[in-house]
Amino acid sequence: GAGVSQSPSNKVTEKGKDVELRCDPISGHTALYWYRQSLGQGLEFLIYFQGNSAPDKSGLPSDRFSAERTGGSVSTLTIQRTQQEDSAVYLCASSQGQANTEAFFGQGTRLTVV
Amino acid sequence: AQKVTQAQTEISVVEKEDVTLDCVYETRDTTYYLFWYKQPPSGELVFLIRRNSFDEQNEISGRYSWNFQKSTSSFNFTITASQVVDSAVYFCALSEALRNTDKLIFGTGTRLQVFP
């Protein structure tokens, strides 16, 4: 498709399990972002990838969170030993990465930790 | 530190009313970008506008208009003659161009409900 694709759209997991969330950015976009949106809240920045540069990980809330971007395209956000407070919608976005061009968002993965 | 404040948590209007959504930002940089996004009930954020810090000209796009004032660090968004389809959460965001990241700092959003 032409937009940012995220999978799965919904994920229910038991507390303590690991989860992987996937993001396929728009083809040709060099910048990729992960955000978290808790129920009724704003968007919390998690991590940013730009080309081959070192990612900006300043938003990751704990060492249980990590993300990779393979081949400058697909990204995976991994949450280890999930906790109930990790329940949120995880949004991925991509952009052309030039001078703050607009970011295009996916529809998100709704994660529920039970 | 950079920060975006949207003081209005929720606004309700009746169709055809005009409504203004406030956005106040904080940054130490002289070069930065401001954005507005719309998040309809479907959940996907939709880009509305980007404005750089050197362009204070107001912009109008159909029923939407934006008022950027550096003197008050505000970037307010007005919808004229609101419609039910405008019901959504609207987010204001800031990006600082001179840092080694293009990350967007979002406000907490304003939920707009337009009633018929």
Side-chain angles (χ1 to χ4, degrees), chain A residues 44-61:
Chain A
E44 175 188 6
F45 168 77
L46 297 178
I47 189 169
Y48 166 76
F49 296 91
Q50 169 59 283
N52 295 321
S53 302
D56 178 353
K57 303 180 181 180
S58 61
L60 294 178

Side-chain angles (χ1 to χ4, degrees), chain A residues 33 35 37 41-43 45 48 50 56 58 91 97-107, chain B residues 33 35 37 39 42-45 47 50 91 95-97 100-108:
Chain A
Y33 316 69
Y35 286 84
Q37 185 175 27
Q41 302 299 309
L43 279 77
F45 168 77
Y48 166 76
Q50 169 59 283
D56 178 353
S58 61
L91 293 163
Q98 299 168 4
N100 299 274
T101 53
E102 59 267 30
F104 294 85
F105 282 80
Q107 292 197 316
Chain B
Y33 293 80
F35 300 77
Y37 280 84
Q39 187 177 40
S42 61
E44 187 169 345
L45 277 94
F47 166 81
R50 174 185 62 152
F91 290 97
S95 178
E96 294 172 325
N100 192 28
T101 176
D102 284 342
K103 71 182 181 186
L104 291 166
I105 305 299
F106 283 85
T108 51

Side-chain angles (χ1 to χ4, degrees), chain B residues 73-87:
Chain B
S73 297
S74 66
F75 186 44
N76 296 338
F77 172 31
T78 297
I79 302 175
T80 303
S82 58
Q83 300 177 1
V84 173
V85 293
D86 296 327
S87 297

Side-chain angles (χ1 to χ4, degrees), chain B residues 2-3 5 7 28 30 37 40 48 67 74 77 86 98:
Chain B
Q2 60 271 42
K3 183 180 177 182
T5 301
R28 295 178 186 171
T30 56
Y37 280 84
L48 295 178
N67 183 356
S74 66
F77 172 31
D86 296 327
L98 298 182

Side-chain angles (χ1 to χ4, degrees), chain A residues 3-26:
Chain A
V4 176
S5 177
Q6 291 187 246
S7 60
S9 54
N10 281 284
K11 176 73 176 179
V12 180
T13 190
E14 292 181 354
K15 178 181 173 181
K17 294 283 181 67
D18 297 351
V19 295
E20 285 188 353
L21 312 180
R22 178 186 168 104
C23 173
D24 284 89
I26 292 173

